[in-house]
Amino acid sequence: MVPLKRRKTVPSDTGSTGTDGGPTRFPQVVLFLLERKMGASRRAFLSKLGRQKGFQVEEVFSETVTHVISENNYGDEVRTWLHSQGGGPGRAAPVLLLDISWYTESMRAGRPVEILDAHKLQEQQTSETEVVLFLVSSYACQRRTTLDNQNSTVTDALSLLAENAELSEEDGRGVAFRRAAAVLKALPATVTDTSQLRGLPCLGEHSLRVIREILENGASSEVDSTKQSERFKALKVLTGIFGVGAKTADRWFREGIHDLHRLRASGQTLNRAQQAGLDHYDDLNQPVSRAEADAIGDIVRNAVVSVSAEARVALTGGFRRGKPAGHDVDFLVTHPEEGREVGLMPKVVSWLESQGFLLYQKITRNSYLESKDGPGRAASNMDRFERCFSIFKLPEGENRGAEEPETENASRTETARRWRAVRVDLVVSPISQFAFAQLGWTGSKLFERELRRWAGHEKAMSLSSHALYDNKQSRYLRAASEEEIFAHLGLEFVPPSERNA
């Protein structure tokens, strides 16, 4: 199908009048001329001609339109456009889709002529076998989603709308957009027409409207306006400060704080985390490379081994899923002997501080008790492990990958410091919960959400980053590996590299 060109929206000042602004001669007929393939100047000329003949010709499509006139378009193309305007099957009164020939004959006759079959739009002769349809499972945890995204233009747009919804604390709408994006990420080929999406799950009307507009016009007006929104741009900047959430950013925005300069001049009282986030804003909003993550991993392992030779350290998060870059680095620490992990965190943090690797750190204690706080309680994406939220001071020599050798011309006066700040989370888990913790901290966030949804809706189980509980049998299901957890859930094992929903 040839993409539909986005029509220009022009306010109408003559839409309900005929010659010289007088009343229309045919009030039961309300016309709209589709600009696609007709062109703006020809459409303007024909619209003016129609009004001079006493026809009501609208500039903007609305519920009052009874006849849509197009030139050189197929019926399915115009119906696709009509659906994007809210004029689909659910419309109170169906709209007639007519060829330009009916309009010109009506102009010659000076009245609406009888509608013949020849005046009706023809259907595109496309065999069903020529349309590539996709099939995917309803749950993201049943799908294999690699980093090879064939529909990034569309998924990036949906993700941006999800982010905007989340910044507005409209989590339900955000999840809907992210589920729609996840479906498209899992497709093995590029979507070229919305007909290929028939029967796919998680694609609501709003998401489909955005997808359709991008496929037809190459862009989404809603996405474009969101990008230009002062509120969105301000909240993006403010939530980019470590320690600042959507609520705080929204409050600051309403107080007139739209950027870092205004925040610094406002005299706002910041907590330790926010002050550190503001101090190191540029570094923390620069992507962390895989080479940098590996360098930090070496430092963390040295710290852990220095306090316990038997303890284990595992890289989690996006880097475990194979991502080449991320916004932070996550590590999971455990000990092969249950209980020996207790007390590790303060010692590891103390070692890192003594070596000058920490610019900021905050430790939270483990508050999870299986007997009291098991996964039978209300589902939550937040676990209760002992963890350290930190900002690392990564020396320059540690963060340069093999592809970035120092050159003779590298200016020593460009910067006085030879390090960069990086966000790092350290999490300590008992060995009995390690498989669940590793699964939960590997992500992606939507993949984990879908795992929990599958467990609850399909298996009557409760899954968290601590444990899996069978509500029917009233017992915990133990697991020493991620493979065992998937088996308990009746799911085919999905390796980390294919969890990029």
Side-chain angles (χ1 to χ4, degrees):
M1 184 193 299
V2 179
L4 287 168
K5 181 178 178 183
R6 178 169 180 77
R7 63 177 175 81
K8 297 178 181 176
T9 300
V10 181
S12 174
D13 57 359
T14 57
S16 59
T17 59
T19 306
D20 299 324
T24 177
R25 293 171 55 200
F26 316 106
Q28 76 280 12
V29 177
V30 182
L31 307 177
F32 175 82
L33 275 63
L34 190 63
E35 185 177 316
R36 178 179 187 266
K37 293 187 178 179
M38 185 181 294
S41 58
R42 176 166 164 76
R43 177 176 183 264
F45 168 76
L46 290 174
S47 296
K48 182 179 180 181
L49 176 63
R51 294 187 188 108
Q52 289 173 348
K53 297 283 186 179
F55 287 82
Q56 182 174 335
V57 184
E58 294 287 344
E59 286 290 345
V60 179
F61 180 81
S62 69
E63 281 290 319
T64 63
V65 172
T66 59
H67 298 55
V68 171
I69 312 300
S70 73
E71 190 168 28
N72 298 321
N73 290 299
Y74 288 108
D76 58 340
E77 295 174 322
V78 177
R79 274 191 294 277
T80 297
W81 173 86
L82 190 65
H83 189 279
S84 72
Q85 304 300 306
R91 196 173 188 264
V95 64
L96 296 171
L97 307 182
L98 303 176
D99 183 71
I100 190 67
S101 59
W102 177 87
Y103 187 83
T104 54
E105 288 178 27
S106 297
M107 294 302 103
R108 282 197 296 268
R111 58 174 175 78
V113 299
E114 180 185 357
I115 297 174
L116 306 175
D117 286 342
H119 295 139
K120 297 175 183 178
L121 295 185
Q122 302 300 302
E123 298 305 317
Q124 196 166 196
Q125 299 301 309
T126 303
S127 169
E128 281 293 319
T129 58
E130 295 177 17
V131 179
V132 179
L133 297 176
F134 300 109
L135 296 173
V136 299
S137 302
S138 296
Y139 290 87
C141 56
Q142 292 179 295
R143 306 194 290 260
R144 294 176 178 269
T145 310
T146 67
L147 293 171
D148 186 19
N149 182 358
Q150 300 293 314
N151 294 283
S152 57
T153 300
V154 177
T155 60
D156 287 351
L158 292 172
S159 296
L160 183 138
L161 294 179
E163 183 179 15
N164 185 49
E166 291 156 0
L167 288 172
S168 301
E169 297 188 85
E170 298 175 353
D171 292 340
R173 200 158 63 92
V175 170
F177 282 129
R178 294 207 182 276
R179 283 185 176 144
V183 167
L184 271 73
K185 286 180 182 179
L187 299 182
T190 303
V191 175
T192 57
D193 187 86
T194 52
S195 63
Q196 296 172 281
L197 305 178
R198 286 202 301 267
L200 290 185
C202 308
L203 299 180
E205 289 185 10
H206 196 159
S207 294
L208 278 172
R209 190 162 65 246
V210 173
I211 295 168
R212 185 177 293 109
E213 189 178 6
I214 292 172
L215 294 180
E216 293 171 357
N217 305 319
S220 160
S221 57
E222 182 179 0
V223 171
D224 290 343
S225 64
T226 299
K227 286 180 180 177
Q228 297 305 315
S229 162
E230 286 302 317
R231 182 177 185 277
F232 177 74
K233 290 189 288 187
L235 295 189
K236 279 276 289 181
V237 169
L238 296 175
T239 55
I241 302 171
F242 173 55
V244 175
K247 283 185 179 179
T248 299
D250 180 63
R251 175 169 58 82
W252 287 348
F253 177 78
R254 286 186 281 106
E255 292 174 1
I257 300 172
H258 297 179
D259 52 41
L260 302 186
H261 174 73
R262 295 186 201 180
L263 175 60
R264 290 189 176 101
S266 69
Q268 287 282 337
T269 301
L270 306 180
N271 61 35
R272 276 202 320 122
Q274 294 165 350
Q275 187 60 59
L278 186 58
D279 290 343
H280 305 292
Y281 184 88
D282 290 340
D283 274 4
L284 299 185
N285 283 275
Q286 175 186 334
V288 184
S289 69
R290 179 64 197 231
E292 290 172 326
D294 288 340
I296 294 170
D298 290 339
I299 295 170
V300 171
R301 288 183 186 88
N302 288 338
V304 171
V305 169
S306 73
V307 299
S308 175
E310 299 83 17
R312 294 162 49 189
V313 179
L315 178 66
T316 60
F319 288 110
R320 185 171 183 243
R321 302 197 309 274
K323 292 183 72 173
H327 68 278
D328 64 1
V329 194
D330 303 321
F331 295 97
L332 193 57
V333 181
T334 192
H335 194 285
E337 186 178 336
E338 187 83 4
R340 292 284 300 276
E341 78 286 347
V342 177
L344 275 179
M345 183 71 83
K347 294 177 183 177
V348 169
V349 171
S350 178
W351 186 92
L352 291 169
E353 285 188 313
S354 70
Q355 301 297 311
F357 286 118
L358 294 183
L359 295 165
Y360 167 88
Q361 62 84 9
K362 181 182 179 181
I363 298 176
T364 61
R365 294 183 299 173
N366 182 6
S367 60
Y368 175 78
L369 292 174
E370 182 178 284
S371 59
K372 183 180 179 181
D373 302 309
R377 65 185 186 133
S380 171
N381 288 330
M382 291 298 295
D383 60 58
R384 300 170 68 184
F385 290 115
E386 181 179 31
R387 71 181 69 176
C388 176
F389 300 102
S390 73
I391 299 177
F392 257 56
K393 181 180 182 180
L394 183 62
E396 188 181 69
E398 303 288 342
N399 64 13
R400 183 183 291 112
E403 74 284 0
E404 299 177 293
E406 182 143 20
T407 65
E408 276 188 272
N409 296 325
S411 172
R412 293 187 176 87
T413 60
E414 281 183 2
T415 177
R417 63 182 176 94
R418 311 287 287 183
W419 53 270
R420 69 159 292 196
V422 179
R423 278 275 294 108
V424 178
D425 285 345
L426 305 176
V427 182
V428 172
S429 162
I431 190 64
S432 61
Q433 299 172 32
F434 183 79
F436 298 99
Q438 189 171 45
L439 177 60
W441 274 82
T442 294
S444 65
K445 185 176 180 180
L446 185 72
F447 187 90
E448 300 303 325
R449 183 190 290 270
E450 293 288 275
L451 267 178
R452 289 168 167 79
R453 191 165 71 95
W454 167 272
H457 292 185
E458 307 297 333
K459 293 296 178 179
M461 296 178 182
S462 299
L463 174 68
S464 74
S465 293
H466 295 277
L468 177 64
Y469 188 80
D470 189 319
N471 296 303
K472 289 182 178 178
Q473 301 182 51
S474 298
R475 70 184 183 94
Y476 287 94
L477 302 178
R478 308 300 175 183
S481 67
E482 290 178 317
E483 287 85 349
E484 288 183 43
I485 301 173
F486 277 85
H488 284 318
L489 293 170
L491 291 169
E492 182 180 346
F493 177 70
V494 179
S497 62
E498 296 178 341
R499 300 178 198 167
N500 289 288

